[in-house]
Amino acid sequence: MGLHNDYPWVKAPVIIGAPMRLISLAPLAVAISRAGGLGFIGAGTEVHDLQAYLQETSRLIRETPIAGCKANVLPIGVGFITWGFDLDIAVKSIQDHRPAAVWFFAPNNNTDLVQWTERIRIATQGDTKIWVQVGSVQDAVEIAQLCRPDVIVAQG
């Protein structure tokens, strides 16, 4: 699969709106995707607001659809700080709303991400692509072997 297959609305150069908690919310994520990029909602570690953020995103997309999007996939991503987020709540929210991507950051250890990636892939039948942020080459290699992410994000 290529970038355009996974995110058919994107335009070059691709703009990615990183999932900054309390800043990257539905309006910003949708605006970035509407402009031809991929905007991420910053769920961070806050489990209680994620459903509301995704419901708002769905409403914004229904009001003004983004051309080229798959009908059952939201054209945004959601970022999680995995050490502090409840996996069951994350999976339920992602399954209900099917964002185009999830971005995982800061696991307690890299092996924790195996369960995150497997459960999200199963819950969305592969519709939601997996992005993992890493801080070293060693982490990138380990994550690539453990989780087979669709995208590895290098932390600066």
Side-chain angles (χ1 to χ4, degrees):
M1 294 292 219
L3 182 66
H4 235 44
N5 288 331
D6 295 336
Y7 315 107
W9 67 91
V10 300
K11 301 172 187 162
V14 178
I15 299 168
I16 305 299
M20 298 172 288
R21 185 174 176 267
L22 302 176
I23 296 170
S24 300
L25 302 176
L28 180 59
V30 170
I32 291 168
S33 293
R34 192 166 274 131
L38 178 58
F40 280 82
I41 292 172
T45 59
E46 185 50 57
V47 300
H48 305 292
D49 296 329
L50 181 57
Q51 279 288 350
Y53 296 156
L54 290 170
Q55 288 169 351
E56 182 180 5
T57 301
S58 295
R59 180 185 58 76
L60 291 169
I61 298 299
R62 275 193 315 275
E63 288 173 359
T64 309
I66 297 174
C69 296
K70 297 177 184 176
N72 65 332
V73 177
L74 284 177
I76 54 95
V78 178
F80 296 96
I81 298 174
T82 58
W83 62 260
F85 208 98
D86 182 291
L87 178 56
D88 291 330
I89 292 172
V91 169
K92 174 77 170 109
S93 296
I94 298 305
Q95 184 174 31
D96 288 350
H97 296 280
R98 291 187 186 251
V102 291
W103 179 320
F104 300 140
F105 174 64
N108 285 319
N109 60 66
N110 289 342
T111 58
D112 290 349
L113 293 180
V114 173
Q115 189 175 22
W116 279 81
T117 57
E118 288 176 353
R119 290 196 53 198
I120 295 295
R121 283 185 174 126
I122 290 167
T124 67
Q125 300 171 334
D127 286 338
T128 299
K129 302 306 175 193
I130 307 295
W131 295 40
V132 179
Q133 182 174 335
V134 298
S136 70
V137 171
Q138 179 181 348
D139 282 344
V141 170
E142 184 176 5
I143 291 295
Q145 292 170 346
L146 288 170
C147 303
R148 302 173 341 275
D150 299 289
V151 174
I152 293 178
V153 179
Q155 178 180 348

